[in-house]
């Protein structure tokens, strides 16, 4: 008994504890933790101070938003609210608790002296508005508030009077200042909660080969989501050059998005050089996030961007301009040595420098007796302060001098389109003159190996006629007739034979049909009646009636008693009048056959009645074969 | 009377002149050909080109003339006196030889060398290789000559006919053979007859041509740039129609308009 009571008490305690725990947990999650403060709480009239509100919730919840502050008379709002995302980690009893939320600041100016109460401030969370406590602020008349001692003012550390004409007072730091928001990154509304991406290009119209800079920003509000997977924005119609190295960590900036302050980080900066004209697309960048402020793995992506690429203008396009050579370039060169023996080689080093997509090759001046071999190239590129690709490409040519004398190598020219000047320009460098001394040994003008057509066949010296071409089969109508004629002929013949056989079968069936037999018997009866052969007419009429009945309803009436005949016929769908008439005609047939005094008129009447009856009998859907 | 006599004399003179022209035509072609051969052998490549081009203008379909014309253009390239488009014109000449005689191995080798040289030059100018992927219909039809498709269709028709006939036989080996031959012949006929017809259609409606400028731009019907890759020199294209100075060409699966002067229609296909 005692044990049972003890058990009940333990169960009740456990249930009570569970309810308390659940209710406390539910309460803990049912409202955010909100703190408010005025910094400082003692101000003079006309002084601006900060009213700060901090609202934190569990890391698994969405942070609060939409802060609001109501000010009493005597205070004027000078700025704010500025919303800063917050993340807090605390360890209580060995358990780590993480919370997210916002810290909101308003700049408030005191206008009336006295002891005032400000607030409450409030935030919106999960559809409900939660308020902070009220905050006391003491507003003193102007000049009555003791000056706060600056602990870092070495000149005032002992309360000494200030040096006349000395350093002016530094402004008092009332509140750790928020970083200034970047208006260029501001947005009217966030694209998603907690974290989103935004991509932009610095221009949407450009010419073929002109640099377009793509930037992708990551906006974060509250929490600390981390990237778990990222897919770069596809841009197959562009030559791409990343402007951020993996080691680069651009500074975090802040921007106002929908009235709140978001952290903004530049995560991609890519120089794009269009490879074709038309409307080209930069695809979306996809990033999956996880972590504080997000319930699960959350995908985010940028929107696709379009860039309209046009050809450079045709007007003024210099000869030798190659599509895509857009930028601002310069050429310089060095030739060593400038004196060489015939057949010897010199080195021509051409340095191409400038801003833009550096051309991959140069057109060298072709001169008689000067053979340019393929160059080796060396590149060095970096990025200007305004994110332009800048660099230099050094081409080193080996040039064979095959003819003696003072050989003017000419100049290397690079026509390009300058998008900043909207005009074509030509970078040029003169290579100068090389003095080639004659060689005693003959110099081959070009190595044999360079003749890439040496294996071409010999000259043909006879004007041979073109080989006769056989007429193609498909050009002959007979081919197509023959192609279809064989199978079609067989099929047509088969069909004709089938039709012939069917016709013959139908004729044969008609000949063998009961109705035909009945008609034949009836005709014989008529002929016998006409001849006056009464018995013969009656016999033929009886046969015609039996066959006609069988043809009409399938009844073999020879095996049926005459008294039962009318009933049997009615049971097979023959009308009563016709059934009775059939029975009567059979009786008359018997009488005529065996009555010696019967005359031809009775036989004729019988045959007529029989003919009418056979015509009136219903026709079966399908005639039955006599043999059946 | 005098007027009649004058008319008769004029008619006689016309007939005599016509007969003389007809008689002189082959001799002039042979003379032109030998003149071209001699110029080419002597290193006068320009004269050789002129002679062989004159032969082509006369409609001379001799593969030797077309082959030597290609050699003349190649000689200018080899002799460092190349003019723009020489490689393309050489390729066109060798392609004409192959149109007349598809088994001409020397012409096939020569045209391969020309295209390799064009590709090498494009690579030196850092211009990407332009891949011309033929469309599926061209690939399938090109698997065999038109004559092969035609004979295959004819054989398939015969097999189908025999199968249909044998199916009428009483049950036995002949009937069984008919059962087997009928579907085989039917399927083969349904495959080969359209192929033969499509090959004929392409032969009669599509005209081969070769690009004879360094690059043939792909334009739209109004002549504006489309942004598609230009067709490299010496590439074989299909000519579809002409509108003013523009011709509609097909290169692989890419279709567009280009300047008529940039492509040379192969003579043997006229």
């Amino acid at each position: 008994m005692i044990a049972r009571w003890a058990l009940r008490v333990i169960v009740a305690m456990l249930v009570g504890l569970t309810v308390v725990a659940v209710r406390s947990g539910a309460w803990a999650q049912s409202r955010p933790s909100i703190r408010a403060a005025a910094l400082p709480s003692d101000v003079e009239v006309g002084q601006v101070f900060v009213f700060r509100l901090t609202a934190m919730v569990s890391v698994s919840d969405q942070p609060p938003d939409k802060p609001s502050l109501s000010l009493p008379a005597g205070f004027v709002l000078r700025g704010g609210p500025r919303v800063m995302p917050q993340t807090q980690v605390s360890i209580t009893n060995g358990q780590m608790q993480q919370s997210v939320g916002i810290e909101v600041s308003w700049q408030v100016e005191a206008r009336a002296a006295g002891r005032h109460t400000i607030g409450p401030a409030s935030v919106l969370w999960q559809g409900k508005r939660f308020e902070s406590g009220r905050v006391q602020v003491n507003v003193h008349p102007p000049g009555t508030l003791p000056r706060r001692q600056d602990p870092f003012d070495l000149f005032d550390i002992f309360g000494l009077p200030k040096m006349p004409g000395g350093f002016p007072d530094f402004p008092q730091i009332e509140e750790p200042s928020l970083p200034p928001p970047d208006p260029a990154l501001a947005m009217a509304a966030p694209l998603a909660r907690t974290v989103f991406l935004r991509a932009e290009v610095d221009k949407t119209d450009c010419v073929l080969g002109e640099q377009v800079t793509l930037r992708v920003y990551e906006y974060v509000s509250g929490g600390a989501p981390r990237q778990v997977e990222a897919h770069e924005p596809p841009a197959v119609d562009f030559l791409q050059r990343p402007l951020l190295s993996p080691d680069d960590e651009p500074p975090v900036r802040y921007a106002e998005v929908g009235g709140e302050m978001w952290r903004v980080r530049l995560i991609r900066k890519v120089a794009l050089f269009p490879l074709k004209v038309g409307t080209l697309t930069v695809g979306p960048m996809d990033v999956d996030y996880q972590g504080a402020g997000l319930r699960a793995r959350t995908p985010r992506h940028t929107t696709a961007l379009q860039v309209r690429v046009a050809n450079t203008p045709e007007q003024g396009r210099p000869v030798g301009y190659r599509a895509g050579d857009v930028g601002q370039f310069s050429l310089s060169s060095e030739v060593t040595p400038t004196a060489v023996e015939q057949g010897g080689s010199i080195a021509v080093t051409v340095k191409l420098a400038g801003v833009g997509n550096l051309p991959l090759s140069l057109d060298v001046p072709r001169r008689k007796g000067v053979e340019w071999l393929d160059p080796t190239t060396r590149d060095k590129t970096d990025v200007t302060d305004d994110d332009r690709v800048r660099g230099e490409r050094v081409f080193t040519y080996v040039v064979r001098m095959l003819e003696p004398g003072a050989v003017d190598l000419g100049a290397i020219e690079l026509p390009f389109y300058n998008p900043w000047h909207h005009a074509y320009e030509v970078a040029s460098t003169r290579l100068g003159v090389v003095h080639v001394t004659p060689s005693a040994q003959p110099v081959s003008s070009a190595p044999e190996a360079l003749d890439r057509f040496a294996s071409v066949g010999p000259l043909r010296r006879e004007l041979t006629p073109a080989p006769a071409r056989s007429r193609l089969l498909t050009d002959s109508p007979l081919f197509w007739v023959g192609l279809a004629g064989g199978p079609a002929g067989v099929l047509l013949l088969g069909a004709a034979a089938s039709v012939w056989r069917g016709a013959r079968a139908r004729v044969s069936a008609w000949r063998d049909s009961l109705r035909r037999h009945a008609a034949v018997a009836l005709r014989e009866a008529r002929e016998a009646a006409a001849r006056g052969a009464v018995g013969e007419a009656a016999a033929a009429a009886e046969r015609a009636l039996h066959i006609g009945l069988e043809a009409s309803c399938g009844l073999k009436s020879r095996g049926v008693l005459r008294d039962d005949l009318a009933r049997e016929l009615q049971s097979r769908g023959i009308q009563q009048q016709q059934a009775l008439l059939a029975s009567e005609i059979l009786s008359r047939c018997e009488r005529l056959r065996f009555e010696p005094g019967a005359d031809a008129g009775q036989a004729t009447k019988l045959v007529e009645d029989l003919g009418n009856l056979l015509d009136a009998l219903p026709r079966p859907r399908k005639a039955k074969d006599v043999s059946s | 009377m005098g007027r009649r006599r004058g008319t008769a004399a004029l008619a006689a003179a016309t007939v005599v002149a016509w007969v003389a022209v007809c008689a002189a035509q082959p001799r002039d072609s042979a003379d032109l050909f030998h003149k071209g051969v001699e110029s080419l052998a002597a290193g006068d490549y320009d004269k050789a080109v002129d002679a062989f081009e004159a032969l082509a203008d006369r409609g001379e379909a001799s593969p030797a003339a077309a082959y030597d014309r290609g050699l003349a253009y190649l000689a200018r390239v080899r002799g460092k006196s190349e003019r723009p488009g020489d490689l393309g014109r050489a390729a066109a000449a060798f392609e004409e030889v192959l149109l007349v005689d598809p088994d001409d191995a020397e012409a096939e080798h020569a045209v391969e060398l020309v295209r390799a040289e064009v590709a090498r030059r494009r690579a030196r100018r850092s211009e990407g290789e332009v891949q011309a992927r033929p469309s599926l219909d061209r690939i399938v039809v090109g698997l065999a000559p038109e004559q092969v498709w035609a004979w295959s269709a004819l054989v398939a028709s015969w097999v189908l006919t025999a199968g249909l006939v044998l199916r009428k036989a009483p049950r036995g080996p002949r009937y069984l053979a008919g059962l087997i031959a009928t579907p085989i012949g039917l399927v083969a006929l349904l495959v080969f007859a359209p192929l033969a017809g499509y090959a004929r259609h392409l032969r009669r409606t599509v005209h081969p041509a070769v690009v004879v400028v360094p690059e043939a731009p792909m334009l739209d019907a109004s002549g504006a740039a489309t942004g598609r890759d230009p067709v490299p020199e010496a590439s074989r294209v299909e000519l579809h129609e002409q509108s003013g100075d523009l011709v509609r060409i097909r290169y692989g699966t890419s279709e567009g308009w280009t300047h008529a002067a940039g492509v040379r229609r192969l003579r043997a296909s006229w």
Side-chain angles (χ1 to χ4, degrees):
Chain A
M1 190 70 172
I2 293 174
R4 187 181 297 171
W5 272 104
L7 185 62
R8 286 180 180 177
V9 168
I10 290 170
V11 169
M13 287 174 69
L14 287 174
V15 169
L17 285 172
T18 305
V19 169
V20 167
V22 167
R23 284 186 60 82
S24 62
W27 179 82
Q29 292 176 355
S30 65
R31 58 176 293 116
S33 165
I34 300 178
R35 285 183 289 114
L39 299 172
S41 58
D42 286 282
V43 295
E44 292 179 350
V45 172
Q47 184 181 344
V48 176
F49 64 97
V50 172
F51 185 91
R52 179 187 288 170
L53 172 76
T54 308
M56 305 298 290
V57 296
S58 171
V59 69
S60 60
D61 292 323
Q62 291 291 332
D65 58 1
K66 293 189 171 43
S68 169
L69 172 66
S70 58
L71 289 174
F75 292 90
V76 175
L77 189 64
R78 285 296 183 195
R82 281 192 175 175
V83 183
M84 293 282 293
Q86 294 287 310
T87 304
Q88 289 182 356
V89 177
S90 59
I91 298 176
T92 307
N93 296 329
Q95 286 191 335
M96 188 175 75
Q97 292 183 332
Q98 197 173 0
S99 56
V100 294
I102 55 173
E103 184 182 278
V104 192
S105 300
W106 288 270
Q107 281 79 43
V108 182
E109 181 185 348
R111 289 286 181 87
R115 189 181 181 85
H116 300 278
T117 302
I118 297 181
S122 64
V123 292
L124 188 68
W125 186 66
Q126 295 190 345
K128 293 181 183 175
R129 191 157 280 282
F130 295 90
E131 295 182 340
S132 69
R134 297 172 188 272
V135 176
Q136 292 283 337
V137 178
N138 299 316
V139 183
H140 303 272
T144 58
L145 194 65
R147 190 169 61 86
R148 179 179 292 181
Q149 183 179 321
D150 186 350
F152 299 102
D153 188 353
L154 296 177
F155 296 99
D156 200 22
I157 194 168
F158 301 112
L160 295 174
K162 279 195 168 291
M163 293 172 65
F167 299 107
D169 278 346
F170 289 103
Q172 292 291 326
I173 302 173
E174 302 287 354
E175 152 81 289
S177 62
L178 293 168
D182 188 341
L185 300 174
M187 294 178 69
L191 303 178
R193 281 189 167 189
T194 307
V195 60
F196 65 87
L197 300 173
R198 184 168 75 93
E200 64 174 24
V201 288
D202 63 341
K203 56 172 75 80
T204 54
D205 289 278
C206 66
V207 296
L208 184 64
E210 185 179 359
Q211 177 181 338
V212 177
T213 305
L214 167 72
R215 294 180 180 85
V216 181
Y217 296 99
E218 177 190 74
Y219 286 68
V220 177
S221 168
R226 66 178 192 282
Q227 294 183 8
V228 291
E229 190 173 347
H231 298 279
E232 300 301 317
V236 294
D237 295 328
F238 297 87
L239 177 70
Q240 302 181 43
R241 282 191 67 89
L243 301 179
L244 283 180
S245 72
D247 299 332
D248 286 339
E249 287 191 6
V252 175
R253 290 188 280 176
Y254 292 87
E256 282 197 16
V257 178
E260 296 183 3
M261 197 70 78
W262 287 60
R263 294 196 307 269
V264 185
R265 196 163 63 93
L266 178 65
I267 58 173
R268 293 291 185 279
K269 187 162 62 174
V270 184
L272 304 173
F273 296 96
L275 297 172
K276 57 168 71 169
V277 297
T279 301
L280 310 184
T281 301
V282 181
M285 177 178 182
D286 300 311
V287 179
D288 284 358
Y289 287 93
Q290 232 172 7
L294 299 171
R295 291 183 187 276
R297 185 172 170 140
T298 307
R300 293 283 188 262
H301 58 83
T302 64
T303 54
L305 302 171
Q306 291 198 321
V307 180
R308 290 181 293 275
V309 182
N311 259 324
T312 52
E314 288 188 7
Q315 188 175 7
R317 187 181 291 172
V319 176
Y321 171 76
R322 288 184 296 194
D325 289 350
V326 174
Q328 193 164 20
F329 307 115
S330 64
L331 287 173
S332 60
S333 61
E334 184 184 4
V335 178
T336 54
T338 54
V340 68
E341 190 180 354
Q342 184 184 5
S345 299
I346 60 173
V348 176
T349 306
V350 183
K351 187 166 82 172
L352 166 66
V355 179
N357 185 26
L358 294 172
L360 292 169
S361 64
L362 297 172
D363 287 335
V364 294
R366 302 284 176 185
R367 298 287 161 90
K368 187 181 178 186
V370 180
E371 185 185 348
W372 294 75
L373 302 185
D374 291 343
T376 59
T377 57
R378 195 174 69 249
D379 296 343
K380 190 171 73 176
T381 56
D382 62 354
V383 182
T384 64
D385 293 338
D386 56 348
D387 293 333
R388 299 280 154 197
V389 174
R390 171 180 62 188
E392 62 179 38
R393 176 165 288 147
V394 178
F395 300 84
T396 305
Y397 298 88
V398 173
V399 183
R400 290 189 73 210
M401 309 303 294
L402 303 174
E403 294 193 358
V407 179
D408 186 0
L409 290 178
I412 293 180
E413 293 186 337
L414 173 66
F416 62 89
Y417 181 75
N418 188 326
W420 298 283
H421 298 166
H422 301 288
Y424 290 99
E425 297 172 10
V426 179
S428 173
T429 179
R430 283 207 62 79
L431 303 176
V433 176
V434 176
H435 297 280
V436 184
T437 55
S439 170
Q441 296 178 348
V443 177
S444 62
S445 61
E448 290 298 326
L450 289 182
D451 185 1
R452 293 181 172 82
F453 300 106
S455 59
V456 172
L459 190 62
R460 298 183 181 179
R461 296 181 178 276
E462 294 299 325
L463 187 62
T464 51
R469 301 179 71 174
S470 58
R471 191 181 178 195
L472 293 173
L473 272 181
T474 51
D475 284 338
S476 168
L478 288 177
F479 166 77
W480 299 103
V481 172
L483 208 61
V490 173
L491 289 175
L492 285 175
L493 285 176
S498 177
V499 168
W500 174 248
R501 281 197 300 273
R504 286 187 61 184
R506 277 193 293 276
V507 169
S508 174
W510 176 79
R511 282 180 179 164
D512 294 340
S513 71
L514 290 171
R515 294 191 69 83
R516 180 174 173 277
H517 281 282
V520 169
L522 184 62
R523 189 175 68 233
E524 289 172 359
R526 280 198 183 107
E527 289 171 359
R531 287 197 312 269
V534 176
E536 189 180 338
E542 185 178 350
R543 194 167 68 248
L545 182 58
H546 284 302
I547 296 172
L549 289 176
E550 187 178 356
S552 176
C553 63
L555 178 66
K556 294 183 184 298
S557 51
R558 286 183 196 278
V560 181
L561 294 174
R562 189 166 311 134
D563 296 338
D564 299 334
L565 180 61
R567 195 174 60 250
E568 282 287 334
L569 288 174
Q570 286 179 53
S571 70
R572 292 182 177 246
I574 304 295
Q575 292 179 5
Q576 183 184 10
Q577 187 183 356
Q578 295 168 348
L580 292 174
L581 180 58
S583 181
E584 183 204 334
I585 287 175
L586 278 181
S587 302
R588 284 162 64 189
C589 286
E590 279 189 16
R591 278 201 307 274
L592 287 177
R593 282 173 69 183
F594 302 110
E595 265 188 25
D599 61 359
Q602 290 177 316
T604 304
K605 181 72 170 64
L606 174 70
V607 171
E608 281 178 10
D609 291 345
L610 176 61
N612 293 333
L613 176 63
L614 290 179
D615 288 340
L617 283 176
R619 288 170 179 270
R621 286 189 179 177
K622 193 172 179 182
K624 292 194 175 290
D625 195 77
V626 177
S627 60
S628 66
Chain B
M1 188 72 176
R3 197 172 175 181
R4 266 189 202 170
R5 199 174 291 166
T7 306
L10 184 63
T14 305
V15 170
V16 168
W18 184 77
V19 170
V21 165
C22 289
Q25 185 87 11
R27 181 168 179 78
D28 284 354
S29 292
D31 288 347
L32 264 179
F33 176 75
H34 289 300
K35 184 180 167 189
V37 169
E38 286 165 9
S39 300
L40 192 52
D44 195 346
Y45 307 136
D46 291 342
K47 273 189 181 174
V49 165
D50 290 344
F52 291 126
E53 283 292 355
L55 267 178
D57 290 342
R58 285 167 174 248
E60 177 57 56
S62 165
Y67 184 83
D68 287 350
R69 190 172 85 242
L71 286 188
Y73 281 114
L74 275 193
R76 284 211 305 215
V77 175
R78 297 165 79 181
K80 307 293 182 189
S81 57
E82 177 183 356
R83 296 180 191 175
D86 274 359
L87 283 174
R89 290 189 180 87
F94 296 131
E95 285 281 5
E96 281 184 11
V97 178
L98 290 172
L99 273 185
V100 176
D101 182 9
D103 298 327
D104 193 322
E106 285 183 343
E108 192 174 358
H109 177 63
V111 81
E112 283 174 2
L113 287 179
V114 171
R115 292 203 172 115
E117 175 63 12
V118 170
R120 194 187 68 83
R121 291 185 181 189
R122 289 179 61 83
R124 281 189 65 179
R125 293 198 300 266
S126 302
E127 291 167 343
E129 187 179 354
V130 179
Q131 294 282 351
R133 292 184 297 273
S135 53
L136 185 62
D137 56 340
R138 285 356 186 227
I139 292 174
V140 174
V141 170
L143 287 175
E146 182 185 337
Q147 203 73 335
V148 172
W149 296 131
W151 276 109
S152 303
L154 213 51
V155 170
S157 172
W158 293 340
V159 171
L160 177 60
T161 305
L164 290 173
V165 170
L166 291 174
R167 276 165 62 97
K168 304 294 178 188
R171 291 186 181 274
R174 288 185 180 178
Y175 178 76
L176 187 60
L179 279 185
I180 296 170
T182 302
I184 292 175
L186 180 64
V187 170
L189 185 63
L190 290 176
V191 170
F192 293 131
L195 281 171
Y198 191 54
R200 178 178 183 270
H201 168 75
L202 287 181
R203 173 170 56 80
R204 294 172 68 91
T205 59
V206 172
H207 309 288
V210 169
V211 175
V212 293
V213 288
E215 278 185 342
M218 286 294 230
L219 312 171
D220 61 16
S222 64
T226 58
R228 275 176 286 171
D229 291 330
V231 185
E233 186 176 6
S235 301
R236 183 166 168 163
V237 296
E238 294 177 0
L239 274 187
H240 285 263
E241 60 178 308
Q242 181 159 4
S243 173
D245 293 336
L246 297 178
V247 285
R248 190 161 66 86
I249 62 170
R250 179 188 174 108
Y251 180 57
T253 54
S254 179
E255 276 197 23
W257 295 79
T258 194
H259 302 292
V263 292
R264 179 168 181 152
R265 189 169 173 173
L266 301 186
R267 291 266 177 191
S269 64
W270 288 79

